[in-house]
């Protein structure tokens, strides 16, 4: 089983208190001011609560006659000689402050958690969208969604626990300081025992953290297995191996259940053990203080109440720390993925690009593994308005050629020139406006036809959208829909749009920005004859107006091209007029012969 990003690795990384805080800190930077305010408010609330407890004990002793005086000093306030009623009113005032401080602190904690979730999601998604195509194309299916939901929701939980733990720690500290001021001996004795107790429970906390990390790993494996089963459902049914796949998922689910049970048991039992052990420590401390002959009954009673109350806060600190430690693997993975995306950020700066008159590939070479070249020394010169077909067997380098043309990948050797200048000289934003892309499978997102053609480009006017629909030969069909442009398309068309219409809507999307270059990847591969004919008419109408690169296998689609470029094993084996290359190139001669069968 793979080690979780936050677990202890071969390098010895651990998730102790300091490591847990370091993991959480990057997600809390924007909330520093709120955390400082929370700490101050919590400390003041702790001191106020200590005052309430002391006043209650003093008042009770006076009422019962156990102490004939009501001498009370709270820091700069000397309340000696005051009546019990006055002391109780002061206690009520302090209690009102404690309640208000708790309310304020709760709002601050909620704010910190919500801000951490929002900003972490924005940061990770922005980093992914700014990463290179090399990184984006290698992203596992569902991985980013898992990071954005599962991991970053844990960021919100961690922020909540860190803020809660900080508040409780300073309230604990305030009560402890108050106890030391009132009765140093009693407070010091009990404090030493509580510190010893922390070290006694440290190994148990380590067991809980390790169980939590193992549970995270097992859940990830289970999720991956289910995702694979869903994506390969057709093959599983065809080979009738559903029972074997179910058995694998059931085994992984059993592992998750076992590890989850162990993790949650330790997480629940640890605070209870700690609290009861701490009470035993207080009892032992009281016996030690009694043996030392302490006579200040009122002070000792107040200290005991403060320390019992402080136990509640120490338990909150313990639980918060445990929760943060359990969630560190999720934080580490989110932070590492964001760092990976940021390290692959694309440089978008450069000169503006006014237009593309000529594109030149000069010795372009690209390899994915540094060994086998997907493209090797490709030379090609294309003038404005030409229609160039890119053809070749599977694995010949057509997709890589297209990605270099779109500047998704940069040549590792050679260069692509635009109007005689290196393409890298021009800003990516301007490049994307001048070079448009139509993928093999036309995809529509959830929204109207108008939204899908505009495609997140709010500056495009309705006139430009209408013109693009006309040029894509789909305007009449869209006008015939009950709601016209406002017809909901949805993913894959949502049933309202046919496959051919969807592909032509994607062509309209590409044409809406009036590009100079149009790159089409197998635009008719999955269409019926009528839809193919309509798209062919669209391409014919665009000839001479825009430069077209058409990657295709269908000979009818290639017939609209002025020239053909044949790629085989990454090497250009033929370039020339369409008819000539089709008649002389062995690969295309074979393709024509097979098509006539």
């Amino acid at each position: 089983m793979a080690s979780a990003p936050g677990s202890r690795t071969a390098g010895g990384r651990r998730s102790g208190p300091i490591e847990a805080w370091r993991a959480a800190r990057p997600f809390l930077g924007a909330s520093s001011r709120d955390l400082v305010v929370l700490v101050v408010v919590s400390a003041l609330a702790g001191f106020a609560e200590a005052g309430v407890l002391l006043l209650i004990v003093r008042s009770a002793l006076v009422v019962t006659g156990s102490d004939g005086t009501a001498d009370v000093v709270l820091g700069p306030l000397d309340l000696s000689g005051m009546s019990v009623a006055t002391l109780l009113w002061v206690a009520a005032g302090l209690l009102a402050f404690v309640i208000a401080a708790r309310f304020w602190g709760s709002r601050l904690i909620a704010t910190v958690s919500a801000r951490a979730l929002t900003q972490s999601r924005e940061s990770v998604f922005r980093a992914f969208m700014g990463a290179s195509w090399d990184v984006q194309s290698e992203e596992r299916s569902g991985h980013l969604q898992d990071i954005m939901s599962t991991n970053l929701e844990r960021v919100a939980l961690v922020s909540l626990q860190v803020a809660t733990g900080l508040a409780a720690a300073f309230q604990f500290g305030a009560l402890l300081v108050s106890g030391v001021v009132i009765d140093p001996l009693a407070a010091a004795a009990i404090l030493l025992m509580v510190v010893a107790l922390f070290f006694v429970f440290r190994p148990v906390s380590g067991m809980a953290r390790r169980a939590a990390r193992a549970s995270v790993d097992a859940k990830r494996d289970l999720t991956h297995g289910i995702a694979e089963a869903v994506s390969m459902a057709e093959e599983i049914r065809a080979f009738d191996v559903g029972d074997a796949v179910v058995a694998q998922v059931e085994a992984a689910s059993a592992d998750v259940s076992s590890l989850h049970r162990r993790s949650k048991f330790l997480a629940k039992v640890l605070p209870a053990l700690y609290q009861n052990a701490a009470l035993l420590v207080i009892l032992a401390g009281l016996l030690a203080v009694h043996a030392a002959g302490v006579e200040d009954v009122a002070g000792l009673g107040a200290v005991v109440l403060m320390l019992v109350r402080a136990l509640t806060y120490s338990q909150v600190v313990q639980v918060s720390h445990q929760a943060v430690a359990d969630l560190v693997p999720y934080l580490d993975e989110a932070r590492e993925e964001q760092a990976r995306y940021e390290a692959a950020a694309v440089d978008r700066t450069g000169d503006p690009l006014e237009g593309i008159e000529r594109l030149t590939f000069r010795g372009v070479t690209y390899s994915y593994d540094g060994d086998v070249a997907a493209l090797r020394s490709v030379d090609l010169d294309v003038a404005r308005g030409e229609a160039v077909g890119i053809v070749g067997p599977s694995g010949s380098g057509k997709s890589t050629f297209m990605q270099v043309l779109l500047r998704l990948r940069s040549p590792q050797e050679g260069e692509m020139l635009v109007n005689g200048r290196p393409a890298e000289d021009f800003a990516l934003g301007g490049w994307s406006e001048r070079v448009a892309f139509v993928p093999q499978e036309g995809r529509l997102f959830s929204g109207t036809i108008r939204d899908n053609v505009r495609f997140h480009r709010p500056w495009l006017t309705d006139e430009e959208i209408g013109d693009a629909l006309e040029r894509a030969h789909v305007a009449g069909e869209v006008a015939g829909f009950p709601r016209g442009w406002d017809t909901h398309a949805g993913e894959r068309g949502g049933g309202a749009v046919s496959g051919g219409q969807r592909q032509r809507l994607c062509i309209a999307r590409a044409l809406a920005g009036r590009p100079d270059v149009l790159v089409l990847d197998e635009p008719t591969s999955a269409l019926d004859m009528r839809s193919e004919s309509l798209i062919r008419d669209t391409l014919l109408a665009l000839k001479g107006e825009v430069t077209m690169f058409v990657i295709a296998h269908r000979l009818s689609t290639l017939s609209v091209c002025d020239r053909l470029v044949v790629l085989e094993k990454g090497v250009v084996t033929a370039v020339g007029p369409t008819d000539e290359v089709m008649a002389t190139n062995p690969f295309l001669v074979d393709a024509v012969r097979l098509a006539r069968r």
Side-chain angles (χ1 to χ4, degrees):
M1 182 180 293
S3 177
S7 61
R8 185 168 182 170
T9 62
R13 183 170 57 181
R14 304 156 62 102
S15 291
I18 295 176
E19 289 77 9
W21 168 250
R22 286 175 178 169
R25 189 172 57 185
F27 302 100
L28 296 170
S31 298
S32 300
R33 179 183 297 179
D34 285 337
L35 290 174
V36 170
V37 173
L38 177 63
V39 163
V40 173
V41 169
S42 300
L44 293 175
F47 286 119
E49 186 173 2
V52 171
L53 296 175
L54 178 58
L55 289 171
I56 290 174
V57 171
R58 288 289 188 180
S59 300
L61 290 175
V62 171
V63 170
T64 60
S66 300
D67 190 344
T69 64
D71 297 333
V72 179
V73 177
L74 295 176
L77 300 178
D78 186 354
L79 307 181
S80 302
M82 287 189 175
S83 66
V84 172
T86 303
L87 291 179
L88 292 177
W89 276 110
V90 172
L94 290 174
L95 184 58
F97 174 79
V98 171
I99 294 172
R102 296 272 169 74
F103 178 80
W104 191 9
S106 297
R107 291 201 59 169
L108 287 171
I109 290 171
T111 299
V112 167
S113 177
R115 183 184 293 125
L117 177 61
T118 300
Q119 294 189 346
S120 60
R121 278 180 170 162
E122 290 175 354
S123 308
V124 170
F125 191 66
R126 185 176 294 277
F128 173 78
M129 295 304 294
S132 68
W133 178 244
D134 288 342
V135 169
Q136 290 183 351
S137 62
E138 292 172 0
E139 194 74 2
R140 300 192 308 274
S141 176
H143 179 64
L144 179 62
Q145 295 93 316
D146 194 38
I147 293 292
M148 293 284 291
S149 56
T150 303
N151 290 65
L152 297 187
E153 282 174 5
R154 265 59 174 192
V155 167
L157 290 176
V158 165
S159 305
L160 186 70
Q161 293 293 347
V162 167
T164 301
L166 279 174
F170 277 84
Q171 287 170 313
F172 171 82
L175 286 168
L176 195 61
V177 169
S178 300
V180 170
V181 170
I182 295 169
D183 194 328
L185 178 61
I190 296 175
L191 176 61
L192 287 174
M193 293 186 182
V194 170
V195 171
L197 189 66
F198 173 80
F199 287 101
V200 168
F201 272 81
R202 194 170 183 181
V204 183
S205 298
M207 291 172 57
R209 288 195 296 272
R210 288 191 293 274
R213 287 193 288 270
S215 179
V216 169
D217 286 339
K219 288 176 184 176
R220 186 177 294 113
D221 291 342
L222 175 61
T223 301
H224 181 65
I226 293 172
E228 280 190 342
V230 171
S231 65
M232 300 186 68
E234 186 176 18
E235 291 89 338
I236 291 170
R237 288 295 298 274
F239 284 88
D240 194 22
V241 293
D243 289 343
V245 174
V246 168
Q248 288 181 349
V249 171
E250 286 177 345
S253 180
D255 287 342
V256 170
S257 179
S258 175
L259 291 168
H260 178 81
R261 182 172 59 251
R262 175 179 172 80
S263 171
K264 295 307 176 185
F265 169 75
L266 289 172
K268 291 293 183 184
V269 77
L270 184 59
L273 289 175
Y274 180 82
Q275 184 179 38
N276 287 292
L279 288 173
L280 287 174
V281 165
I282 288 181
L283 291 176
L286 288 174
L287 287 173
V289 171
H290 175 70
V294 174
E295 297 179 356
D296 184 4
V297 177
L300 181 58
V303 168
V304 170
L305 281 180
M306 291 177 193
L307 292 179
V308 170
R309 184 64 178 144
L311 276 180
T312 303
Y313 296 124
S314 69
Q315 184 180 2
V316 171
V317 172
Q318 174 72 20
V319 170
S320 295
H321 167 253
Q322 182 62 47
V324 171
D326 291 348
L327 296 169
V328 160
Y330 293 100
L331 269 66
D332 278 347
E333 184 175 20
R335 187 177 55 179
E336 288 168 2
E337 289 303 286
Q338 181 176 341
R340 183 169 69 91
Y341 299 148
E342 290 173 343
V346 176
D347 182 8
R348 303 184 61 83
T349 61
D351 296 334
L353 181 59
E354 301 300 333
I356 297 178
E357 300 299 326
R358 183 171 293 277
L359 282 169
T360 304
F361 283 70
R362 182 182 294 166
V364 169
T365 298
Y366 188 90
S367 172
Y368 292 94
D369 58 7
D371 184 18
V372 179
L375 291 178
R376 185 182 301 113
S377 301
V378 173
D379 293 316
L380 182 66
D381 190 65
V382 179
R384 184 181 179 91
E386 277 195 272
V388 178
I390 310 296
V391 64
S394 296
S396 62
K398 300 187 300 296
S399 295
T400 305
F401 177 89
M402 174 195 70
Q403 291 170 10
V404 171
L405 180 59
L406 293 171
R407 287 184 63 187
L408 298 178
R409 302 185 189 278
S410 298
Q412 294 164 342
E413 295 180 21
E415 58 184 347
M416 180 173 66
L417 302 175
V418 183
N419 305 333
R421 293 179 59 187
E424 288 76 12
D425 286 355
F426 300 101
L428 273 179
W431 181 264
S432 301
E433 291 178 7
R434 304 265 57 86
V435 181
F437 173 54
V438 180
Q440 178 175 351
E441 182 184 356
R443 296 181 179 91
L444 303 179
F445 61 82
S446 182
T448 65
I449 288 176
R450 186 197 314 269
D451 295 334
N452 273 277
V453 175
R454 182 169 277 133
F455 200 65
H456 310 292
R457 296 169 290 182
W459 57 85
L460 291 180
T461 65
D462 281 354
E463 289 74 17
E464 289 173 307
I465 291 173
D467 178 65
L469 291 170
E470 290 286 353
R471 296 167 73 204
H473 289 79
V474 73
E477 294 168 57
V478 171
F481 292 155
R483 301 187 62 187
W485 292 11
D486 294 320
T487 300
H488 183 81
E491 187 179 3
R492 299 181 181 273
V497 181
S498 70
Q501 289 167 339
R502 185 172 65 243
Q503 193 73 351
R504 280 177 284 142
L505 285 174
C506 289
I507 293 176
R509 174 190 293 166
L511 296 175
R514 285 282 175 176
D516 296 328
V517 177
L518 186 62
V519 181
L520 302 104
D521 182 13
E522 298 281 5
T524 62
S525 62
L527 301 182
D528 56 62
M529 293 179 64
R530 180 180 179 277
S531 296
E532 180 186 0
S533 176
L534 289 170
I535 289 178
R536 184 173 177 276
D537 290 344
T538 297
L539 300 183
L540 285 170
L542 293 172
K543 281 191 67 172
E545 182 180 348
V546 298
T547 305
M548 287 192 294
F549 290 85
V550 184
I551 298 174
H553 283 119
R554 289 195 178 185
L555 301 179
S556 58
T557 306
L558 292 172
S559 66
V560 306
C561 298
D562 301 310
R563 288 193 293 161
L564 294 184
V565 176
V566 182
L567 279 170
E568 297 182 77
K569 296 182 179 180
V571 177
V572 175
T573 57
V575 179
T578 298
D579 292 341
E580 178 183 318
V581 174
M582 279 191 170
T584 59
N585 180 260
F587 171 75
L588 285 173
V589 168
D590 248 6
V592 171
R593 177 176 55 81
L594 292 172
R596 289 174 176 170
R597 282 186 177 181

